[in-house]
Amino acid sequence: MSGITDFDSLRRAMAENGEQPEGPARNARAEQLLVEAERLGVPLAVIEALGHQLKVYNYSSEKAKMFVPFARLLRLWDERPEDFDEYETHSLHWVFKWVSAGMLDQPHVPLASVEKWLGEMEHRYRLAGHSARAVRSAEFSVAAHVGDVERAERAFTAWLAADRDTMADCHACELHGQGWWRAERGRDAEALELWAPVLEGEYTCAHEPHTVLASSLLPLLRLNRVEEARAHHLRGFRLVRSMESMRGAYADHVEFCALTGNEARGLELLAERPAYFTDDGHPQSRLEFLSVVVLLLERLSELGLAGQRVPGPTGREWTAAELATHARAEALALAARFDQRNGTSYVSERARARMAQQPLVERLPLGVRAARPASAGAAAAPAAPAPVLGSGEPDLSVLIAEARQLSDTLQPHAVEAWARVARLAEGAEGVELEARDRAEIADHEAIGLGPEGAETFEQAAELYALAGDPGEALAARARAAYIRALAGEVDEALAVVADPYDRVLALYAEGATEVPQAAGVLMARARILMRRVHEAEEAVEESVLAEAEAAVRELLALVEGRAGNDVRLTARVAEGHAMLAELATHSGNPEAGAELFARAAAEFVETGLPWFAVEYEARLAGLAHQLGDMREAERALRAALEHGGPNLEAVGRAQLHLQLAEVVGGRGQADEAAEHALEAAHWADEAGAGPTFGAWARHQLGGFLVRQGRWAEAAEVLESALADLTAETHGDGAVVQTQWWLGDCLSELGDHRDAAERRLQAAEIARHWPEQHDHATLAHLAAESLGQAGLHTEADQAYARAGELWRDLGNVHGLVRSLRARAWLALRTEDDGTGAARDLMASAVEECADAFGAADDDEARLRLVAELGHTHRQFGDLLARSAAEDADDDSIRATLDEALSQMAEAVAVFVALGEDALDARTGAELAAGWLETDLGRPVEAAARARAVLRAYADAGHDDDPDAVGGEQGEDDTVEARRAEAEQLLQATKEQKDR
């Protein structure tokens, strides 16, 4: 059995099919329904089924199929126009525009046929009495497609000049087309101004703001409005992701990724839609898609990734280079077909220009997970060019001098400079470096080796001794000892450093070495003693702190006042003060620690070594946060980012941005906090920490976007975060909060079924927590989403579960609201739900009353009174609604009387609450007044209307609009209540006059 037995069941089936996702399955069902319609023998049924088939074809990748049902519809109209009702007559003329555009997008349809059809459209519109606006719009599309700019401008002007009527495209679609042309003509700012009402939600339709968001991406980038472009991508891609018919808009998002350094995300987009490579029902959008595929993949080749595996047409594996070649050939072949049809080269020129675009932004972080592909040559920073002699050979002596200058002034890349010297010396014939040079090479090689450098430091010590610098030899040995301490061998390191320590002091006393060499040994010893402080598992013993402090102060006593212009010695002083800061913190004096960290950071900056200040500014920020000085914490974090500059490692930059996001967000600046969280996510990805630190940053970013009401962007970011967030790494609290936020976003976006799923997933985790408030809240929110998704049985079960949790928690307000929600569900969904709904509302009233009797403080009682008032109000509304379902006049009257009684109870409760419940009271009073009119009591109804007007007058809300206080929302409520009261008075007057 097909289930289609009459016209009504056919209409229900078509409506159900119209709600299904776009694609072949929906199209096939439309074809089946046409067969069913033909069996009914009702002409209008066939007409509606043809219209349904045409619509689903138009909103799919099989647009080419729509010409057949339209031709049949047109023939039916010409033969028997009386079979068409008013709606189908309108629809027939409406879809002329679809067919006109559809022909243009099919290169096998001759241009002469398109022009002929345009004339046919104009003729039929004129006969039907329609404006030429839609015709001129279609003519503009033809001219723009073939590149006839002069004709396009004429048609564009005529389009705007013609009157809008029922055949004109909706405001949203018209504005998209008008803005698109301005952007094509290089007037990006004008285009965005035109699109503003669509972007702001003033005008919408089935495909808007989807296409406007996509079309706006490049104009925004060209105007350097990159933050808006990012937002439009995140928001717009959510809208087009599941819509098969929007391949052109999807291509715009791939193009955006290719032009903003988001090649990895572009590849993810290709992977989501493999059918877009081959679906041939709409050649124009296939050409657009293949063109941006070429753009993206050739960008990868420019990054050195021509051999990377990429998603493409199914059936084989593709490298970036292979797929780029394939897509280019396919796109240009398609473009050539269009050009052959059009008699121009315009389409091919546009396709080639689109493929050849250069990035508009080097890197635009999006906040979603996608590490940037790294080219083969990007693994290491390119070495600076070596100085050369006139013969073209590198000058080794110049390289040594430059390397020594970098190391003596503690500049970045000194290690790389000495490595370059070593490579050149090793490859040069007949060159033998002096012992001092070899010592410094070994010294810096050891620094580059980090924890593995102890043995190389020992080699450097031997070479320094050979070079006649015993002090520096001892300093190198001390550095080797420190490496052992870093490996956890602190006691052994102290034993090893004892000899260099004693000997360097003796040498210094004899004048056999200088301050820098002695300071090097003392610093290494102090660092080793600080490792004992760091590795203490519990409170650090006083003796350990005292010994470390003595070592630091000995270093400072040696260096302070003797640094002169020696940057290395000045840096020793600054580091010594930072060590004292840390010791003060461990000694329970964070205020002194903060002061010393600030001093150390300032000394590094003043010395011209700001990148060394970063660590201590970050530590200072942590202490300031601990001390509650958020202003200083924020200042220190900003300074750390500034001073780190290009020398700051990606993971450090990510951490600083995230800390700053938390501080800034804590003072309510969610917009700036989101920017820092975005940067944190980006730099975490760059550091290869996307699944760990990056996921946390995305979690935070999503939360800040939620606070700003940027629901679509937040949803994209939060979904991306959830892919990596785990309870083991990030804590189950982060997972629950992310699901919670995502549920809120999806609810705001109208995706209620998905919102319910997210909230239920979060509730399941929270179910195991000792404190159950979050579990109850999530269960309640999930019930709301289930109800909004039409899953009423599941919603009732979820509300019941939430109610049990609220009761266990002693939260009467949550319990009462769950009971009220269940009452409304029962009324809407059960065959005889009035009785169950009454019982649930009555239970809610009883719960309020019982809790009021048990409450032991005035504030709790006031809140319960307010809850009781709202419950009486809803009980009245529910009863009034249920009366409409009754056929018996007496029972209707009895139910309305009962509803009025509940409303009166609500009014009395709100009166008792005074001014704070004024709006709630007047709302209930007016609802009671309308019930009085339904019961034929105009006098009583008028009294209630006058009571509302008097209540606002007594509260100072007179007829002077300037006298209305409060927020705009409050003002609107007052005006709405007063207007409704006047309407009620007028209704009672008319009722009395009858």
Side-chain angles (χ1 to χ4, degrees):
M1 294 290 293
S2 68
I4 307 298
T5 57
D6 53 26
F7 200 175
D8 286 341
S9 60
L10 174 69
R11 282 175 164 167
R12 285 194 298 272
M14 289 190 296
E16 291 171 2
N17 192 47
E19 295 299 318
Q20 298 305 305
E22 296 176 353
R26 188 171 75 157
N27 295 352
R29 176 61 174 159
E31 292 162 4
Q32 180 186 359
L33 290 174
L34 175 59
V35 174
E36 299 286 353
E38 290 168 337
R39 290 173 180 163
L40 295 177
V42 179
L44 185 58
V46 175
I47 291 167
E48 289 190 13
L50 283 167
H52 175 65
Q53 190 180 81
L54 196 155
K55 182 176 181 179
V56 299
Y57 284 156
N58 184 62
Y59 292 110
S60 79
S61 62
E62 298 179 305
K63 291 178 185 286
K65 289 185 174 183
M66 70 180 175
F67 301 124
V68 173
F70 182 74
R72 186 176 172 188
L73 272 173
L74 196 59
R75 185 174 67 253
L76 290 174
W77 168 262
D78 288 337
E79 293 172 355
R80 292 181 57 85
E82 64 272 17
D83 288 343
F84 288 70
D85 62 13
E86 182 179 357
Y87 178 81
E88 291 304 325
T89 299
H90 177 273
S91 296
L92 174 69
H93 288 81
W94 181 268
V95 296
F96 262 87
K97 299 178 295 182
W98 294 357
V99 175
S100 174
M103 287 182 172
L104 195 63
D105 294 338
Q106 301 288 336
H108 71 274
V109 179
L111 190 61
S113 298
V114 176
E115 294 284 6
K116 181 181 177 181
W117 183 256
L118 190 60
E120 179 75 7
M121 178 182 174
E122 184 168 15
H123 171 67
R124 289 181 180 264
Y125 272 39
R126 188 181 302 114
L127 286 178
H130 295 308
S131 163
R133 189 177 182 93
V135 178
R136 298 284 75 82
S137 173
E139 181 188 4
F140 161 76
S141 298
V142 172
H145 171 76
V146 301
D148 188 343
V149 175
E150 186 176 340
R151 182 187 180 193
E153 288 286 9
R154 287 198 308 271
F156 187 84
T157 301
W159 167 23
L160 299 188
D163 293 335
R164 277 189 59 83
D165 68 351
T166 56
M167 282 299 111
D169 282 342
C170 75
H171 280 290
C173 288
E174 281 210 330
L175 288 173
H176 173 249
Q178 293 163 18
W180 173 84
W181 183 242
R182 283 169 170 78
E184 283 290 301
R185 303 300 294 156
R187 293 146 64 184
D188 290 334
E190 291 180 34
L192 290 163
E193 186 176 351
L194 267 175
W195 288 331
V198 183
L199 295 170
E200 293 165 6
E202 183 178 345
Y203 300 123
T204 61
C205 70
H207 278 184
E208 295 298 352
H210 314 43
T211 55
V212 164
L213 285 163
S215 295
S216 71
L217 295 172
L218 263 61
L220 286 168
L221 291 174
R222 288 193 292 259
L223 293 171
N224 199 34
R225 291 161 61 175
V226 293
E227 292 80 9
E228 292 172 75
R230 176 197 301 116
H232 287 199
H233 169 64
L234 294 177
R235 177 183 163 201
F237 184 67
R238 286 192 70 79
L239 295 174
V240 304
R241 170 182 269 151
S242 63
M243 299 180 70
E244 184 193 53
S245 64
M246 302 207 70
R247 179 163 54 183
Y250 199 99
D252 290 340
H253 287 280
V254 176
E255 179 180 41
F256 167 83
C257 292
L259 298 178
T260 57
N262 287 286
E263 298 84 6
R265 179 165 171 83
L267 293 177
E268 290 178 0
L269 268 57
L270 298 189
E272 286 192 29
R273 282 289 187 180
Y276 274 174
F277 287 95
T278 53
D279 283 345
D280 57 4
H282 189 239
Q284 178 63 46
S285 67
R286 183 165 180 251
L287 169 59
E288 293 166 0
F289 181 75
L290 290 172
S291 297
V292 301
V293 168
V294 175
L295 171 68
L296 173 65
L297 299 179
E298 291 189 348
R299 175 66 185 149
L300 285 178
S301 294
E302 291 171 11
L303 293 172
L305 295 165
Q308 177 170 317
R309 296 291 177 188
V310 295
T314 56
R316 59 162 287 185
E317 289 187 346
W318 299 89
T319 65
E322 291 168 344
L323 185 54
T325 300
H326 170 79
R328 178 179 284 275
E330 291 282 304
L332 292 179
L334 260 179
R337 289 176 58 201
F338 278 109
D339 284 341
Q340 184 177 12
R341 188 271 303 270
N342 299 340
T344 70
S345 60
Y346 184 69
V347 175
S348 293
E349 291 169 1
R350 282 174 55 84
R352 286 191 174 92
R354 196 169 194 183
M355 297 174 191
Q357 293 176 95
Q358 292 301 306
L360 295 170
V361 180
E362 182 180 353
R363 179 62 162 154
L364 177 60
L366 301 178
V368 292
R369 62 197 290 262
R372 187 180 191 182
S375 67
V388 296
L389 296 172
S391 64
E393 291 297 320
D395 187 337
L396 188 58
S397 63
V398 173
L399 286 181
I400 292 172
E402 288 186 349
R404 186 163 289 135
Q405 192 274 334
L406 288 174
S407 57
D408 287 349
T409 55
L410 301 181
Q411 297 298 305
H413 310 305
V415 170
E416 293 85 352
W418 281 108
R420 190 160 62 245
V421 169
R423 288 194 300 273
L424 182 59
E426 186 177 350
E429 293 184 10
V431 174
E432 184 170 349
L433 295 174
E434 295 181 3
R436 178 73 189 196
D437 299 333
R438 287 184 284 131
E440 292 194 59
I441 288 173
D443 209 352
H444 287 84
E445 181 185 348
I447 293 171
L449 289 172
E452 308 300 322
E455 185 177 339
T456 309
F457 274 129
E458 293 287 359
Q459 295 171 7
E462 294 175 5
L463 289 166
Y464 279 126
L466 186 62
D469 191 342
E472 199 61 57
L474 294 170
R477 287 181 56 199
R479 288 191 282 274
Y482 176 55
I483 292 297
R484 298 185 66 175
L486 288 176
E489 302 174 8
V490 178
D491 291 338
E492 294 84 346
L494 281 173
V496 170
V497 82
D499 180 60
Y501 170 71
D502 291 336
R503 290 177 59 190
V504 83
L505 290 180
L507 285 174
Y508 180 69
E510 297 168 0
T513 193
E514 303 293 331
V515 172
Q517 290 73 27
V521 176
L522 268 59
M523 175 58 79
R525 181 171 177 272
R527 287 173 176 169
I528 294 169
L529 288 166
M530 289 297 296
R531 292 303 303 170
R532 292 174 62 190
V533 176
H534 296 155
E535 294 183 1
E537 294 183 0
E538 299 178 358
V540 186
E541 295 180 7
E542 287 293 332
S543 60
V544 171
L545 292 172
E547 190 174 1
E549 182 176 351
V552 174
R553 293 198 180 280
E554 183 180 19
L555 166 70
L556 291 173
L558 171 69
V559 178
E560 282 184 312
R562 298 184 178 88
N565 295 323
D566 191 327
V567 172
R568 294 172 299 173
L569 292 178
T570 308
R572 301 288 194 212
V573 173
E575 187 177 349
H577 289 143
M579 289 176 172
L580 291 179
E582 192 168 353
L583 292 168
T585 303
H586 278 286
S587 299
N589 191 352
E591 293 85 355
E595 183 178 342
L596 283 162
F597 275 131
R599 179 178 179 181
E603 287 169 339
F604 275 121
V605 173
E606 290 167 5
T607 304
L609 304 171
W611 49 89
F612 284 111
V614 173
E615 177 185 350
Y616 307 117
E617 285 162 336
R619 297 287 298 277
L620 171 59
L623 279 179
H625 199 296
Q626 175 186 330
L627 294 168
D629 189 350
M630 304 311 294
R631 179 172 301 194
E632 175 63 5
E634 182 178 341
R635 185 210 63 76
L637 289 167
R638 291 188 189 278
L641 282 168
E642 177 189 351
H643 293 147
N647 301 304
L648 194 56
E649 292 184 358
V651 67
R653 192 180 298 276
Q655 291 169 340
L656 289 170
H657 274 296
L658 189 56
Q659 291 177 60
L660 192 51
E662 293 171 350
V663 171
V664 173
R667 59 176 172 81
Q669 298 297 317
D671 50 351
E672 186 185 351
E675 293 175 8
H676 289 294
L678 176 68
E679 289 293 324
H682 163 61
W683 289 109
D685 288 341
E686 292 289 308
T692 52
F693 194 71
W696 180 257
R698 276 182 267 281
H699 158 80
Q700 294 283 56
L701 172 59
F704 292 128
L705 292 171
V706 165
R707 283 167 59 178
Q708 297 175 71
R710 294 161 64 178
W711 309 111
E713 297 168 65
E716 279 291 297
V717 171
L718 292 167
E719 285 174 348
S720 181
L722 279 171
D724 291 319
L725 281 174
T726 65
E728 295 76 18
T729 302
H730 305 94
D732 56 6
V735 178
V736 167
Q737 182 63 79
T738 304
Q739 295 276 27
W740 192 329
W741 280 331
L742 181 54
D744 291 347
C745 293
L746 295 170
S747 178
E748 291 287 342
L749 295 169
D751 297 337
H752 299 298
R753 187 183 292 262
D754 289 343
E757 181 179 352
R758 295 300 186 179
R759 287 166 167 174
L760 287 170
Q761 289 171 351
E764 177 60 24
I765 299 173
R767 181 171 69 88
H768 304 285
W769 292 355
E771 209 290 313
Q772 288 288 284
H773 185 273
D774 285 344
H775 181 201
T777 303
L778 285 162
H780 199 116
L781 290 170
E784 289 181 5
S785 294
L786 289 165
Q788 290 169 319
L791 302 171
H792 297 129
T793 301
E794 295 86 345
D796 182 72
Q797 293 170 350
Y799 275 125
R801 176 59 179 148
E804 294 171 5
L805 292 166
W806 291 129
R807 187 185 297 280
D808 292 343
L809 288 166
N811 189 318
V812 179
H813 301 277
L815 172 60
V816 167
R817 289 167 190 175
S818 66
L819 288 168
R820 294 196 309 236
R822 293 183 67 200
W824 283 107
L825 278 172
L827 184 67
R828 285 196 295 266
T829 60
E830 296 184 19
D831 293 337
D832 185 21
T834 303
R838 284 170 177 266
D839 291 343
L840 287 162
M841 278 293 185
S843 295
V845 171
E846 291 171 7
E847 293 291 348
C848 286
D850 291 347
F852 180 82
D856 55 5
D857 69 81
D858 292 342
E859 184 178 350
R861 289 194 187 93
L862 284 174
R863 290 184 63 224
L864 286 165
V865 169
E867 200 71 73
L868 178 62
H870 290 300
T871 305
H872 280 304
R873 167 68 197 268
Q874 287 200 33
F875 203 166
D877 285 335
L878 181 140
L879 290 168
R881 186 77 57 85
S882 71
E885 303 296 326
D886 249 313
D888 184 273
D889 288 345
D890 289 339
S891 62
I892 289 175
R893 188 173 185 84
T895 302
L896 291 179
D897 266 326
E898 190 178 355
L900 179 59
S901 175
Q902 291 291 337
M903 288 296 183
E905 291 281 359
V907 171
V909 171
F910 291 136
V911 166
L913 290 171
E915 183 74 17
D916 290 342
L918 178 59
D919 291 337
R921 168 197 163 185
T922 55
E925 193 87 73
L926 288 167
W930 291 113
L931 285 170
E932 301 275 19
T933 62
D934 291 339
L935 289 164
R937 302 170 185 168
V939 175
E940 291 85 346
R944 291 190 181 278
R946 284 191 286 272
V948 170
L949 295 172
R950 187 168 54 253
Y952 283 120
D954 291 345
H957 300 294
D958 56 21
D959 290 332
D960 179 4
D962 293 332
V964 178
E967 300 294 328
Q968 182 62 46
E970 296 174 5
D971 296 351
D972 292 344
T973 300
V974 172
E975 292 305 312
R977 291 280 195 275
R978 291 168 61 182
E980 188 179 352
E982 295 290 354
Q983 291 172 357
L984 181 56
L985 282 173
Q986 181 63 31
T988 61
K989 183 177 183 300
E990 293 171 357
Q991 194 174 39
K992 285 188 289 186
D993 291 343
R994 285 200 293 270

